[in-house]
């Protein structure tokens, strides 16, 4: 039996890998995402248990304590976190994942009495795990700070920062090579560790709030790659495969996000674009000389109740106001009056990939009413009313009409093609891109100023009277 144990362990690893793959596949649809997440968690649990026995851990005291404490923190955080804070929570998860990978590599190196006895390829993987994990750790926490607001969402730069970052990156790869050749020289290791942490900070600071969905998906990819490197360090096939899956999925998602913004990844990382607060203020901007048509709950209720089709396009303002449940109530009332209701979701609406889908799913919005940008755009021409709840840049028509605009060429929701648009917003302030939206001043648009939740509650009440 002892002879067959390594084969049995590898077989169980293979089963866990299969569970991971099925779980990721099921994450592709809102209808199956929850079970996919549970399957992936089960695969990880299997992998952790088998690894503990495979590595012949002498004492489980600290491991059990870590599992209990970590589980309690995770359970409490998952129950208490609001949907507005979900992007921050994802950023923290990415950071801890990268940091854990770096610590695994450091721990394995410390366990080796004589680092010179390690093969060069092993030392290279240790160095890369430290490099990528450390960048992910500090970069994710800077992203967390930007999302939370205690670090400015605007790009924070200094002269020559892009060149400095590129030189620092090249220098770090040089340090990885130096460490692989001369692991006894401890200063190289600590320089690699410290400068990697610094690079993570300097990489995310120049990125504006408008690009946070891309940053989060990229850092998610980094955390997977760091985990895969850590798998090579400890010679664990499951960690290599699972990390590679996360890394590949994150890169694919990053590419989707970039295409949705008509931006290259290089432009996101080095362009210092966007970063307005996107939602301050409580009424129309006092310094504008353009005509704004303000509306009332009763007027909106009449227009929607007698419409044939209403499309709702949510944005981050919906999450800020925690208005998803009231929005669902409004939609239910419209459907009871025979109105066709759909939801148009832009890929980068919100602060993280899929933010609006998760938000609406929490309010039990039917999955078949959620439409991606490519699916919903042809419908706007035949739509009577579009309710724009807290969205801005993703519906800004200058992306199609002004070549000099920083968002020119970005695919948007073509809400301006509808017969009527109604924008729910606190003020006329610009979105994260920091530019004005001419949709607000169109003759076919009306502005419904105020907190989205209170405005939708007033609309729901007014619909009872129609």
């Amino acid at each position: 039996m002892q002879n067959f144990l390594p084969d049995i362990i590898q077989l169980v690893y293979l089963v866990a890998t299969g569970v991971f793959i099925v779980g990721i596949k099921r994450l592709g649809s809102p209808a199956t995402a929850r079970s996919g997440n549970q399957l992936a968690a089960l695969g990880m649990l299997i992998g952790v248990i088998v690894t503990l026995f495979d590595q012949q851990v002498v004492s489980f005291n600290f491991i059990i304590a870590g599992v209990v404490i970590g589980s309690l923190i995770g359970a409490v955080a998952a129950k208490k976190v609001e949907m507005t804070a979900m992007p921050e929570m994802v950023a923290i998860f990415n950071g801890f994942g990268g940091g854990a990978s770096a610590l695994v590599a450091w721990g394995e190196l410390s366990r080796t009495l004589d680092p010179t006895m390690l093969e060069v390829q092993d030392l290279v993987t240790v160095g890369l795990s430290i490099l990528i994990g450390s960048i992910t750790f500090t970069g994710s926490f800077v992203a967390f700070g930007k999302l939370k607001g205690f670090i400015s969402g605007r790009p924070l730069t200094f002269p020559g920062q892009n060149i400095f970052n590129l030189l620092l990156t090249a220098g770090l790869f040089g340090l990885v090579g130096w460490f692989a050749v001369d692991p006894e020289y401890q200063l190289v290791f600590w320089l690699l560790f410290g400068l990697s942490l610094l690079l993570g900070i300097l990489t995310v600071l120049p990125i504006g709030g408008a690009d946070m969905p891309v940053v989060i998906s990229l850092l998610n990819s980094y955390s997977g790659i760091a985990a895969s490197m850590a798998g090579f360090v400890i010679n664990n096939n499951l960690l290599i495969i699972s990390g590679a899956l996360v890394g590949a999925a994150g890169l694919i998602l990053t590419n989707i996000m970039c295409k949705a913004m008509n931006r290259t990844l290089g432009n996101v990382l080095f362009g210092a674009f966007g970063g307005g607060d996107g939602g301050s203020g409580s009424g129309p901007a006092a310094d504008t000389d353009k005509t704004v048509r303000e509306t009332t709950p009763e007027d909106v209720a009449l227009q929607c109740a007698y419409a044939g089709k209403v499309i709702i396009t949510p944005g981050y303002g919906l999450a800020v106001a925690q208005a998803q449940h009231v929005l669902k109530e409004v939609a239910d009332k419209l459907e009871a009056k025979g109105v066709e209701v759909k939801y148009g979701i832009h890929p980068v609406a919100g602060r993280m990939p899929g933010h609006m889908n998760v938000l609406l799913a929490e309010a039990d919005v039917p999955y078949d009413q959620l439409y991606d940008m490519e699916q919903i755009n042809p419908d706007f021409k035949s739509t009577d009313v579009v309710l724009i709840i807290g969205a801005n840049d993703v519906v800004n028509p200058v992306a199609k009409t002004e070549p000099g605009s920083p968002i020119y060429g970005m695919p948007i929701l073509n809400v301006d093609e509808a017969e009527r648009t109604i924008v729910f917003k606190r003020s006329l302030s610009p979105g994260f891109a920091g530019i004005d939206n001419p949709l607000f001043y169109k003759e076919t648009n009306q502005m419904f100023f105020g907190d989205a939740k209170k405005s939708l509650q007033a609309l729901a009440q007014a619909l009872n009277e129609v």
Side-chain angles (χ1 to χ4, degrees):
M1 182 65 182
Q2 192 70 24
N3 294 334
F4 290 105
L5 187 58
D7 293 332
I8 294 173
I9 289 172
Q10 295 305 317
L11 180 61
V12 176
Y13 278 161
L14 184 61
V15 171
T17 300
V19 173
F20 278 143
I21 294 172
V22 174
I24 290 176
K25 175 66 176 176
R26 294 183 69 80
L27 289 175
S29 168
T32 59
R34 179 172 295 181
S35 63
N37 195 34
Q38 292 169 345
L39 275 174
L42 175 62
M44 181 57 70
L45 177 62
I46 293 171
V48 169
I49 292 173
V50 174
T51 298
L52 291 178
F53 285 101
D54 178 29
Q55 298 300 319
Q56 299 175 349
V57 176
V58 176
S59 174
F60 284 88
N61 294 341
F62 287 111
I63 291 174
I64 293 172
V67 168
V68 172
I69 295 171
S71 298
L72 285 174
I73 293 173
V76 171
K79 289 289 185 182
K80 287 186 172 293
V81 66
E82 296 181 354
M83 286 306 302
T84 47
M86 193 60 68
E88 290 96 307
M89 192 171 190
V90 172
I92 289 175
F93 284 161
N94 290 340
F96 281 149
S101 299
L103 290 176
V104 166
W106 182 16
E108 187 66 13
L109 183 67
S110 301
R111 208 164 63 108
T112 305
L113 297 177
D114 185 3
T116 60
M117 298 300 294
L118 294 174
E119 298 289 339
V120 171
Q121 61 265 29
D122 294 330
L123 292 168
V124 169
T125 55
V126 168
L128 290 176
S129 186
I130 293 290
L131 171 61
I132 302 170
S134 299
I135 291 173
T136 307
F137 179 74
T138 51
S140 295
F141 276 90
V142 171
F144 168 80
K146 282 177 172 282
L147 292 168
K148 201 68 176 175
F150 60 80
I151 297 177
S152 173
R154 297 186 180 279
L156 301 175
T157 63
F158 57 82
Q161 181 166 11
N162 288 341
I163 298 298
F164 181 83
N165 284 357
L166 288 172
L167 292 174
L168 181 57
T169 302
L172 283 168
F173 279 110
L175 286 175
V176 171
W178 189 354
F179 170 71
V181 173
D182 187 10
E184 282 190 306
Y185 194 33
Q186 288 291 305
L187 179 60
V188 175
F189 175 81
W190 290 112
L191 278 174
L192 175 62
F193 216 143
L195 292 177
S196 297
L197 293 170
L198 175 63
L199 182 59
I201 296 171
L202 295 179
T203 298
V204 180
L205 277 179
I207 301 175
D211 292 330
M212 278 302 112
V214 179
V215 173
I216 287 178
S217 60
L218 181 61
L219 289 169
N220 179 250
S221 176
Y222 283 177
S223 69
I225 295 171
S228 190
M229 290 295 104
F232 281 109
V233 171
I234 62 175
N235 195 27
N236 186 289
N237 291 333
L238 181 62
L239 191 55
I240 294 170
I241 295 171
S242 60
L245 287 172
V246 173
L251 285 176
I252 292 170
L253 186 57
T254 300
N255 186 50
I256 292 172
M257 295 292 104
C258 287
K259 285 185 177 179
M261 300 170 69
N262 193 38
R263 310 268 301 287
T264 64
L265 182 57
N267 183 255
V268 170
L269 294 177
F270 306 117
F273 170 74
D277 59 17
S280 60
S282 58
D287 60 348
T288 181
D289 57 357
K290 299 175 183 177
T291 302
V292 175
R293 296 160 184 83
E294 193 169 352
T295 189
T296 64
E298 294 74 21
D299 185 27
V300 176
L302 282 172
Q303 293 182 71
C304 292
Y306 292 99
K309 182 195 296 184
V310 171
I311 295 179
I312 299 168
T313 60
Y316 185 63
L318 179 69
V320 170
Q322 287 286 283
Q324 63 271 23
H325 295 285
V326 187
L327 178 60
K328 175 64 164 55
E329 180 186 349
V330 168
D332 288 343
K333 291 180 183 293
L334 291 177
E335 289 178 320
K337 296 179 184 295
V339 180
E340 181 185 6
V341 177
K342 294 182 177 181
Y343 296 79
I345 311 296
H346 194 283
V348 295
R351 296 288 192 91
M352 71 176 184
H355 196 179
M356 295 300 104
N357 301 73
V358 174
L359 192 72
L360 296 172
E362 186 193 33
D364 294 324
V365 173
Y367 301 132
D368 59 2
Q369 289 185 358
L370 304 181
Y371 292 84
D372 293 335
M373 177 177 61
E374 293 80 5
Q375 295 174 309
I376 201 69
N377 267 345
D379 281 18
F380 284 115
K381 290 181 179 179
S382 60
T383 299
D384 301 299
V385 180
V386 177
L387 302 180
I388 303 165
I389 319 291
N392 197 328
D393 297 326
V394 297
V395 297
N396 194 331
V398 301
K400 301 185 293 184
T401 60
E402 295 186 13
S405 169
I407 66 169
Y408 179 72
M410 182 180 87
I412 62 167
L413 293 164
N414 295 326
V415 298
D416 56 319
E417 297 177 357
E419 183 176 335
R420 166 72 64 193
T421 55
I422 300 173
V423 178
F424 289 66
K425 205 171 184 297
R426 290 180 180 272
S427 70
L428 293 174
S429 61
F432 284 113
I435 56 176
D436 197 17
N437 190 340
L439 176 70
F440 299 162
Y441 316 108
K442 287 191 65 174
E443 291 185 4
T444 56
N445 180 70
Q446 294 176 340
M447 300 296 299
F448 195 162
F449 289 112
D451 175 80
K453 187 174 185 177
K454 293 180 180 178
S455 297
L456 287 168
Q457 287 172 336
L459 174 57
Q461 183 63 36
L463 283 170
N464 292 332
E465 310 299 326
V466 178

